[in-house]
């Protein structure tokens, strides 16, 4: 297949159909690609694979069933024609899990490997192959700890590699297009799926199974990409330097629990979180981050004991505002601004690990990230 065919919009679907043939038969040998004479002029992209649906293999237990993380990053990259025209590629396996099992240990390993690759000038960009369930949390964590303006792109798929209509190959090709584009520098961690480029702060999964699942409700995508038209950013890269936090010396991160608000809520979930050693509690509140009186009273009592309380919202979009329905100043609460509960949890963990525990300082950190 020629490069012209790859960048033809009319043939993108045929490319995906061809790539839906199971790739598990590909050899998993020592991996590098690109032997073309012009290879030295191409950017160096390090692929770090963690598993996920994109690396999934069909399972006979039911129609459409699959097991995540069965195919290596090397095999996935080798299955996509034309990547050697975009970059010089090395692939490494960090883990082989479904992203529902993503954990601090893998986050720390990813961070250290990315930072090492950039600090030692081993790579010009990094692509992370990841499952979709917690992709937004990993992206946001890395966006807050990786210290570099070089591109980090996270990519996954909603359908496994062995599915007839897998979206993985197209997503992976487009991730390479973004990673290799010099305009990607200085934009932090970006998620690339389904022809869209989304920022780590704003992106979230919105549908259980549709390939049109990743959206940015408060900000919209930061750009678009396709095999025909290439990369289109909607604005210049921000000129301000991103705020990042030092990676703690060892995992795990401090325990922070999310408590989900609902009608007729009592204080039991809050007491349970405290009994299990939570250093912080993120409220996935109704409306503007609100909850029942009994739950609010329990959260206020917890805050007085030094437990960090962050009000977020269970609704999909909008900002949580201070002191409107809840007296945050009196209660010693923090509001999440635009961050959803799962991302508010990540930032709270990083701040506690750094020793930031005063509500005013915590609020300043949440606000400064917008």
């Amino acid at each position: 297949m020629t490069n012209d065919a790859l960048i033809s919009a009319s043939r993108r679907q045929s490319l995906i159909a061809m790539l839906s043939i199971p790739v598990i038969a590909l050899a998993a040998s020592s991996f590098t690609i690109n032997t073309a004479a012009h290879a030295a002029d191409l950017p160096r992209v390090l692929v770090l694979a963690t598993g996920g649906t994109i690396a999934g293999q069909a399972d006979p237990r039911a129609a459409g069933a699959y097991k995540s993380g069965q195919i290596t990053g090397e095999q996935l990259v080798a299955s996509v024609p034309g990547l050697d025209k975009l970059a010089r590629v090395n692939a490494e396996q960090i883990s082989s899990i479904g992203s529902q099992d993503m954990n601090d240990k893998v986050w720390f390993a990813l961070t250290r490997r990315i930072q090492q690759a950039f600090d030692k000038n081993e790579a010009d960009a990094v692509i992370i192959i990841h499952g979709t369930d917690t992709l937004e949390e990993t992206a946001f964590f890395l966006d807050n700890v990786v210290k570099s303006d070089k591109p980090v792109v996270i990519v996954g798929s909603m359908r496994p590699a062995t599915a007839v209509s897998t979206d993985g190959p197209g997503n992976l090709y487009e991730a390479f297009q973004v990673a290799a584009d010099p305009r990607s520098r200085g934009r932090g961690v970006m998620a690339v799926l389904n022809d869209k480029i989304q920022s780590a702060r704003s992106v979230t999964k919105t549908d259980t199974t549709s390939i049109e699942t990743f959206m940015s409700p408060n900000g919209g995508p930061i750009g678009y990409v396709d095999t025909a038209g290439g990369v289109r950013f909607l604005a210049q890269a921000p000129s301000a330097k991103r705020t990042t936090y030092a990676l703690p010396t060892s995992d795990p991160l401090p325990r922070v629990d999310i408590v989900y608000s609902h009608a007729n809520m009592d204080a039991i979930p809050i007491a349970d979180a405290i009994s299990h050693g939570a250093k912080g509690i993120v409220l996935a509140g109704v409306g503007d981050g609100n909850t029942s009186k009994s739950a609010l009273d329990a959260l206020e009592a917890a805050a007085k004991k030094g437990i960090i309380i962050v009000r977020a919202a269970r609704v999909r979009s909008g900002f949580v505002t201070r002191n409107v329905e809840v007296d945050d100043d009196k209660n010693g609460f923090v509001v999440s601004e635009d961050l959803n509960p799962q991302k508010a949890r990540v930032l709270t963990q990083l701040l506690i690990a750094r020793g930031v525990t005063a509500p005013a300082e915590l609020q300043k950190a949440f606000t400064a990230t917008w």
Side-chain angles (χ1 to χ4, degrees), residues 1-275:
M1 183 176 289
T2 66
N3 191 52
D4 288 341
L6 273 174
I7 62 172
S8 171
S10 65
R11 298 189 61 184
R12 184 169 189 265
Q13 190 59 41
S14 64
L15 168 64
I16 294 174
M18 181 190 74
L19 295 173
S20 67
I21 300 170
V23 298
I24 57 173
L26 291 169
S29 57
S30 175
F31 183 75
T32 58
I33 69 174
N34 195 312
T35 57
H38 69 289
D41 298 328
L42 296 177
R44 300 160 299 162
V45 174
L46 173 63
V47 176
L48 302 178
T50 67
T53 298
I54 191 172
Q57 182 179 352
D59 189 290
R61 68 179 178 270
Y66 65 92
K67 293 179 68 175
S68 297
Q70 301 300 295
I71 298 168
T72 69
E74 294 177 356
Q75 291 171 318
L76 288 171
V77 172
S79 74
V80 182
L83 296 184
D84 61 326
K85 305 298 192 298
L86 297 174
R88 292 172 283 165
V89 187
N90 286 316
E92 298 174 10
Q93 200 74 28
I94 300 296
S95 65
S96 297
I97 59 175
S99 70
Q100 69 274 9
D101 288 319
M102 189 52 59
N103 54 72
D104 293 352
K105 184 177 181 179
V106 177
W107 279 358
F108 279 52
L110 281 170
T111 303
R112 289 174 179 137
R113 185 65 187 100
I114 294 167
Q115 201 65 59
Q116 178 189 54
F118 288 159
D119 290 347
K120 294 187 175 181
N121 196 27
E122 298 176 29
D124 301 305
V126 169
I127 290 175
I128 301 161
I129 295 174
H130 199 285
T132 59
D133 285 347
T134 58
L135 182 148
E136 64 196 84
E137 289 160 84
T138 298
F140 185 68
F141 175 81
L142 294 173
D143 195 55
N144 278 278
V145 294
V146 173
K147 302 177 187 301
S148 177
D149 66 347
K150 292 182 178 180
V152 177
V153 177
I154 190 164
V155 63
S157 73
M158 290 299 291
R159 295 170 183 167
T162 51
V164 172
S165 55
T166 180
D167 50 324
N171 286 345
L172 190 55
Y173 187 89
E174 291 178 354
F176 268 89
Q177 287 179 285
V178 175
D181 194 304
R183 296 170 298 166
S184 294
R185 293 182 71 107
R187 297 180 186 272
V189 178
M190 295 170 284
V192 175
L193 300 98
N194 201 38
D195 301 341
K196 295 183 180 67
I197 309 167
Q198 318 260 10
S199 73
R201 183 180 183 96
S202 298
V203 68
T204 190
K205 188 174 183 178
T206 65
D207 191 280
T208 56
T209 56
S210 172
I211 61 172
E212 183 70 22
T213 182
F214 281 97
M215 299 183 183
S216 297
N218 289 317
I222 62 171
Y224 296 89
V225 58
D226 60 69
T227 54
V231 178
R232 300 180 178 94
F233 285 109
L234 299 180
Q236 297 293 322
S239 57
K241 187 176 181 181
R242 294 183 302 113
T243 299
T244 56
Y245 301 97
L247 187 72
T249 55
S250 62
D251 62 277
L253 293 165
R255 183 182 181 110
V256 175
D257 288 353
I258 298 174
V259 173
Y260 196 91
S261 185
H262 53 81
N264 198 35
M265 185 176 180
D266 58 27
I268 292 176
I270 297 157
D272 184 68
I274 295 170
S275 71

